[in-house]
Amino acid sequence: MDVLVIGAGACGLTTGIRLAEAGLAVTIRTAAPPEQTTSAAAGAVWGLVRVGPPDRVLEWGRTGLEVLSALAGEPGTGVRMASGQEVSRSRLEPHYWTPLLPHLRSSSPAELPDGFADGWHYTAPVATMPVYLGYLRARFERAGGQLEVAPTRTLAELAGAAPVVVNCSGAAARDLVPDPAVEAVRGQVVIAANPGLEEFFIDRDPEPPWIVYMFPHGGQILLGGTNDEGNWDETPKPEIAERIVAGCAAIEPRLRHAEILDHRVGLRPWRPEVRLESEPLGSGVLWHNYGHGGAGISLSWGCAAEITAHVLAQLSSRATRARGAITR
Ligand SMILES: Cc1cc2nc3c(=O)[nH]c(=O)nc-3n(C[C@H](O)[C@H](O)[C@H](O)COP(=O)(O)OP(=O)(O)OC[C@H]3O[C@@H](n4cnc5c(N)ncnc54)[C@H](O)[C@@H]3O)c2cc1C
């Protein structure tokens, strides 16, 4: 084995894919299968929210936008290009990253629901996460990767398991590293039968921890949500689900009687800055790739590309050193 990746959320799977498609022998070891990760609960629209630092995030995000936009043109990936709007009851400045998106324009008054004063309309890649994670896993395995479900107790115990270990453990990095800078930002969402909505919708106004958003995924619609800082509870709460549905239905009356199909909770792995850096582990290298906050689906391909370039360089200089030792 050349590389052992810890974690099978969006970050672990995309890192595993890039490394395996570069010709390396890669194993992903994960405490939970992809469909039980935080990644499975995501909306998931391309956007760089609740994450830093802005300069690196913009570069990783640019790569993510390119890759996800390309995947939207391929059948079976679970990704499509969707239009929608972010709105407010007062004046709304666009995020610093929205100019990267195609078709960005002010919402017209006719597009704004009653009571809203301002908004931005744009097109972005949107992933139906259960389908997208299934696609990522299959692509990783097609490239020769192995996925095993088994928890890792400590990173130190992985010394010697592979020349390179990549830590993509999400919010669990707080205990696993350990890294007290990691904090969970709990997000609860409701999956309902879609009564016919086609565009995504994000209301940026509600007081934290609340936010109101709707992401149509064909016959289903994902309704949100919460941004609850420091809350590590992964059990869906019925009273929160009720408030989520009521908040969405107040804006979109067609949701009032929508059939509720599922409830999901994810712990956004927040950190002041994404941790993408390496340190020694025994005679090998440990890469960290966690702390992607509310943007891990959007950043994962960019982070995976950066790590892969470093790992290929490290393994090739290690091979050169080993050859030198044999010929001496
Ligand atoms: C409600 C909600 C909506 C969101 N919407 C968006 C969005 O629209 N766009 C966007 O880009 N992002 C969005 N996000 C954020 C995004 O989901 C996260 O940033 C992303 O999922 C983080 O991916 P990850 O792979 O780092 O972590 P995770 O998906 O949490 O995966 C971590 C992996 O590590 C494994 N692991 C943990 N501990 C161990 C251990 N000890 N041993 C072995 N394995 C271990 C876990 O089992 C898991 O496989 C949203 C999040 C939520 C909750």
Side-chain angles (χ1 to χ4, degrees):
M1 187 197 326
D2 297 313
V3 186
L4 175 62
V5 176
I6 301 303
C11 294
L13 287 170
T14 51
T15 302
I17 287 170
R18 280 288 181 249
L19 292 163
E21 290 183 350
L24 300 177
V26 184
T27 295
I28 292 179
R29 187 176 296 166
T30 177
E35 62 275 14
Q36 290 170 23
T37 59
T38 280
S39 298
V45 66
W46 183 94
L48 309 181
V49 294
R50 287 181 170 267
V51 70
D55 51 345
R56 294 183 89 190
V57 159
L58 213 49
E59 282 317 304
W60 295 324
R62 202 188 299 274
T63 303
L65 185 56
E66 275 169 25
V67 175
L68 290 168
S69 302
L71 290 179
E74 289 181 31
T77 62
V79 185
R80 69 195 166 91
M81 296 304 286
S83 296
Q85 55 181 343
E86 292 195 32
V87 301
S88 171
R89 288 176 171 77
S90 51
R91 190 170 153 64
L92 186 65
E93 291 298 329
H95 299 286
Y96 73 92
W97 42 264
T98 27
L100 290 182
L101 289 164
H103 314 306
L104 175 67
R105 59 170 174 79
S106 288
S107 301
S108 69
E111 287 169 323
L112 293 170
D114 284 350
F116 289 93
D118 202 1
W120 292 92
H121 194 279
Y122 54 81
T123 300
V126 174
T128 302
M129 287 311 296
V131 180
Y132 178 53
L133 289 169
Y135 159 78
L136 291 178
R137 178 177 183 164
R139 179 167 162 183
F140 171 66
E141 289 173 340
R142 250 193 335 270
Q146 307 280 323
L147 190 146
E148 55 186 48
V149 178
T152 297
R153 279 183 306 117
T154 66
L155 293 174
E157 79 187 17
L158 302 177
V164 179
V165 174
V166 189
N167 169 25
C168 302
S169 58
R174 182 181 170 100
D175 291 333
L176 190 62
V177 173
D179 182 349
V182 176
E183 196 51 91
V185 178
R186 181 184 188 276
Q188 180 167 332
V189 297
V190 175
I191 311 297
N194 184 357
L197 279 72
E198 288 182 0
E199 296 212 331
F200 64 82
F201 177 93
I202 303 167
D203 172 7
R204 300 228 315 248
D205 287 344
E207 281 295 306
W210 300 99
I211 178 166
V212 172
Y213 56 77
M214 312 168 205
F215 290 104
H217 293 285
Q220 301 188 353
I221 185 162
L222 182 146
L223 309 175
T226 55
N227 276 314
D228 200 354
E229 293 174 15
N231 187 338
W232 291 78
D233 188 344
E234 293 183 77
T235 309
K237 298 281 179 283
E239 64 280 10
I240 293 179
E242 265 175 43
R243 182 160 168 176
I244 287 172
V245 175
C248 292
I251 294 166
E252 175 46 78
R254 282 180 288 173
L255 288 165
R256 251 179 229 151
H257 304 294
E259 184 190 357
I260 305 303
L261 304 173
D262 199 5
H263 301 271
R264 292 184 195 146
V265 171
L267 303 179
R268 297 177 185 86
W270 185 84
R271 197 175 183 273
E273 298 191 343
V274 173
R275 186 168 184 207
L276 197 155
E277 62 184 4
S278 66
E279 60 177 311
L281 180 67
S283 60
V285 180
L286 169 63
W287 274 93
H288 295 288
N289 182 16
Y290 64 85
H292 300 82
I297 313 307
S298 314
L299 298 178
S300 55
W301 288 105
C303 294
E306 187 170 324
I307 287 185
T308 300
H310 285 295
V311 168
L312 289 173
Q314 281 163 346
L315 288 176
S316 118
S317 72
R318 195 181 158 108
T320 309
R321 276 201 309 278
R323 271 198 304 278
I326 289 166
T327 50
R328 268 200 298 274

